Amino acid sequence: MATFISVPLKKTSEVDLVKPLSKYIHNTYPSGEDQTEYCRAVEELNKLRKSAVGRPLDKHETSLETVMRYYDQLCSVEPKFPFTESQLCLTFTWKDAFDKGSIFGGSVKLALPSLGYEKTCVLFNIGALASQIASEQNLDNDEALKAASKFYQLASGAFSHIKDTVLSSLNRDPTVDISPDTVGTLSLIMLAQAQEVFFLKATRDKMKDALIAKLANQAADYYGDAFKQCQYKDTLSKEVFPILAAKHCIMQAHAAYHQSVLAKQQKKFGEEIGRLQHASDLVKTVSSRYDEYVNVKDLADKINRALTAAKKDNDFIYHDRVPDLKDLDPIGKASLVKPTPINVPLSQKYTDLFEKMVPLAIQQCLTVYNQRRAELINATIAQMRDATTFANGVLASLNLPAAIEDVSGDSVPQSILNKSKTIIEQGGIQTIDQLIRDLPELLQRNKEILDESVKFLDEEEATDNDLKAKFKDRWQRTPSTELYKPLRSEGNNFRSVLDKAIGADAVVKERYQCHREAIAILCKPEAELNAAIPSANPAKTMQGSEVVSVLKSLLNQLDDVKKVREQLETDIKSVNFDMTTKFLTALAQDGAVNEEAISVTELDRIYGSYTFKVQENLKKQEDLINNIQTAHQEFSKMKQSNSEANLREEVLKNLAAGHDNYIELVANLKEGTKFYNDLTEILLKYQCKCSDIVFARKTERDELLKDLQQSIAREPSAPSIPQVPSYQSASSSSSTNTSVSSIPTPAPRTVFSAKQPPPRPPPPTMPSASPVPASAAQAPNPAPTTAPATDSSQPLSNTIPSQAQGPPYPTYPGYPGYYGMPMPVGYNPYMYGQQTIPPYMYQPPSGQAPYPTQHSAFSYPQQPFFPPQ
């Protein structure tokens, strides 16, 4: 009776979690204590996996606690790492728990790059191990009964959870053991066994028979439902089906027995006999069909004793009518079990190894927030730099401040000297030349990295397409074409960025060529610089003019505005605010994060004051430039103009524009160099990502190819044995008819050694005194003459035995015995003259002359006989 079903554990292959997870951590989080702690947690997670699923487990609660702790950790890690085929690709391989394998291909297994698949298989092992622990309990005490019921309900809950989630967790069909049909049946079996444990406890505690009957009837229903679900499916072990059928009958018998006791208490003696008779029939069915799996002798004896006593009492005392089984009221049901819901954490000793790591949703929100912040800062800084460039352009077009400083007409204005000094301090024209020479090399390096990354994807995708075309529907995995779409899109973005950078480099080079001459002049010493500037009559009328004083004041104010903008740019860049706490708080309160609303609010709060200051500064510059242009118009009217003065003014304007462009070109080229260097790091990460996913795909491909080869090896070479040809059937029937006739079946042929030919027998000696009867002569197979028995002590006779060697067989009329080894026709002229031709030798048809045993013209000479030594 104490036969319970337990589920075997799934087995897995070793997976290295340390390398890919640590790599992701190094690429995602800045170096420091947090990064070191996360890497240490990854090592602990890898050790935990080996302890939970990488070794044989004892059927004890401590082992179950380890597996549940690993499952809890997987649930905690899942939202914190991007476990996808295109980002963090880890392939987990698990074998089918119920497949015993074959001599050719081994057991069925499935490898998938999915953490959901790993969680499903680990949860299956939790249910399987719980069922094994429950089956090992000693059901003679209450504590063991309680533990068994608890573990069976836990197993039922685990299998039920898999049934509801397995298809959504995987991107392909699962193995049979974790398919919804199989785990649904297992959940029902575990629930039935938990109900049976409650029935045993109620029986042990001698509860009311009405309650015990209801518990037993409910258990019978559970077993019956489980049997119906799996009887037409070859998913579970063959031993499970008879056990389920037997348990269904046994629990019905228990329910009928205890209901009969209740009927007896209610003075319903006919119903008592009917219930007991039904219970007896059920037990007899179990004994006759499933005695090999369960023992019901004690139950049968108890029911038979009660039935005999009830019949005796009813026959002699009560004379109550025994109703038919269909007329009896159905027995009630009472379920005291239910599947344990799977709520994380399952383990009581669970501690999150990655507690400080923010979830992936928060990481994504932080990424988007940083993009919004960078866009705001870049837009603000670009607006201020554009204003500075515009102001410098206006001043250069007006030849300010050089025009109001050029009082002598033959010396270099102080502003031009300052500009020349600035250019020389920054390295002069050689700095720009070196930066421009470096750009193509940096660009080529980035293009090579990008091309190599895309080449990885192209080669693997081509291999995948070839295998898909070869195996067709057997090649069941995500096509590389679909899987690489995000990576290819990212690669296209990088290529577009490089194309734009190439265009920007061309613009910088063009501007440099336009202003190269002016920049080269500014790089010269003061004497050469003065010689390069044409001289002119001094503007003596402008000395001490009010207009000059106004222009100088306005230019000083404009310089102050520029300095304020430079300080604002520094301040804006230095502002930093960690949004992690904000997002985590929103996630804890609402269960989701409205990133856009939170980010816009916080960015306005942090950078709102700076934005206001920038706009105020730009408005002030706009007013100053308008005033400068107005004052310069008055200055131009008062100024004496001639061709020499105009030429000098034009050169000074070009020098001022050359300085401004030099500063801007150096900044642009340095930014370009930094851009290419930063892009190199990004492209190296992209290349690493591509190589990682290609390596993972190759590993998955090798596993899938191995599984396909094993499945092909397990397949039969032909669908079925070909049908026997008709002529073979006719031959078989004719030989059958022959065996029915008087011709006996020939004895097995004696196999001679190939090294030495057999000795040639002498002609047999036939008695001449006894004539052969006519009937014997006409018989198709006359009986050979029986050879006299020879003594073993006598020398060997020169006569060939008439029967095959071995035990002596009787010879009598109509039974000619067995044949000796037939010799080739024409080899022994005496053989076929005295012995019957076997049915498988050549026989001439009737009406045809027999094959001549001896040629008339060429007779064989008598061969000497040499007996074996």
Side-chain angles (χ1 to χ4, degrees), residues 72-98:
D72 292 337
Q73 194 61 63
L74 288 178
C75 295
S76 172
V77 164
E78 187 175 23
K80 298 180 180 180
F81 289 91
F83 290 100
T84 61
E85 290 186 77
S86 58
Q87 297 185 56
L88 191 56
C89 185
L90 286 173
T91 302
F92 300 97
T93 304
W94 288 83
K95 295 182 180 179
D96 191 320
F98 300 114

Side-chain angles (χ1 to χ4, degrees), residues 297-479:
K297 186 176 183 303
D298 294 340
L299 177 61
D301 292 343
K302 181 172 70 172
I303 292 173
N304 289 333
R305 286 195 300 270
L307 179 60
T308 303
K311 284 183 177 180
K312 183 177 179 181
D313 291 344
N314 191 56
D315 291 343
F316 287 98
I317 302 174
Y318 306 114
H319 304 287
D320 197 3
R321 185 182 69 85
V322 178
D324 292 337
L325 180 63
K326 61 182 180 180
D327 296 332
L328 295 176
D329 294 334
I331 303 174
K333 301 172 186 176
S335 178
L336 298 183
V337 296
K338 62 179 180 179
T340 302
I342 303 301
N343 296 322
V344 179
L346 296 176
S347 172
Q348 298 178 354
K349 300 179 181 179
Y350 167 69
T351 54
D352 189 1
L353 297 174
F354 299 89
E355 184 176 5
K356 293 183 178 180
M357 182 181 288
V358 297
L360 192 60
I362 302 299
Q363 295 180 30
Q364 294 172 349
C365 290
L366 289 173
T367 302
V368 177
Y369 164 77
N370 289 330
Q371 291 177 354
R372 294 180 188 275
R373 174 177 172 271
E375 290 174 359
L376 176 62
I377 292 175
N378 292 335
T380 304
I381 292 176
Q383 191 177 17
M384 291 189 293
R385 289 182 178 179
D386 289 343
T388 301
T389 302
F390 175 74
N392 292 336
V394 171
L395 295 180
S397 65
L398 301 177
N399 193 26
L400 294 176
I404 60 177
E405 294 173 350
D406 189 17
V407 292
S408 62
D410 55 358
S411 62
V412 181
Q414 186 61 38
S415 61
I416 299 298
L417 289 176
N418 293 337
K419 288 178 172 58
S420 175
K421 182 180 179 181
T422 302
I423 290 177
I424 293 173
E425 287 177 352
Q426 294 191 15
I429 201 168
Q430 291 82 8
T431 301
I432 294 184
D433 289 340
Q434 183 62 41
L435 290 172
I436 290 178
R437 282 195 298 268
D438 291 342
L439 287 182
E441 182 180 350
L442 298 175
L443 173 64
Q444 184 62 27
R445 181 180 63 187
N446 288 330
K447 290 177 68 176
E448 290 176 355
I449 295 174
L450 181 58
D451 293 340
E452 188 70 20
S453 304
V454 176
K455 183 180 177 182
F456 289 157
L457 303 181
D458 292 339
E459 291 178 351
E460 200 285 326
E461 184 175 333
T463 304
D464 183 71
N465 292 336
D466 293 341
L467 292 172
K468 178 66 175 177
K470 179 179 179 181
F471 292 104
K472 295 182 173 53
D473 294 339
R474 288 174 176 266
W475 195 249
Q476 295 182 351
R477 72 166 182 170
T478 305

Side-chain angles (χ1 to χ4, degrees), residues 30-40 356:
S31 58
E33 294 182 2
D34 290 343
Q35 187 186 90
T36 305
E37 185 177 350
Y38 297 157
C39 293
R40 193 181 303 115
K356 293 183 178 180

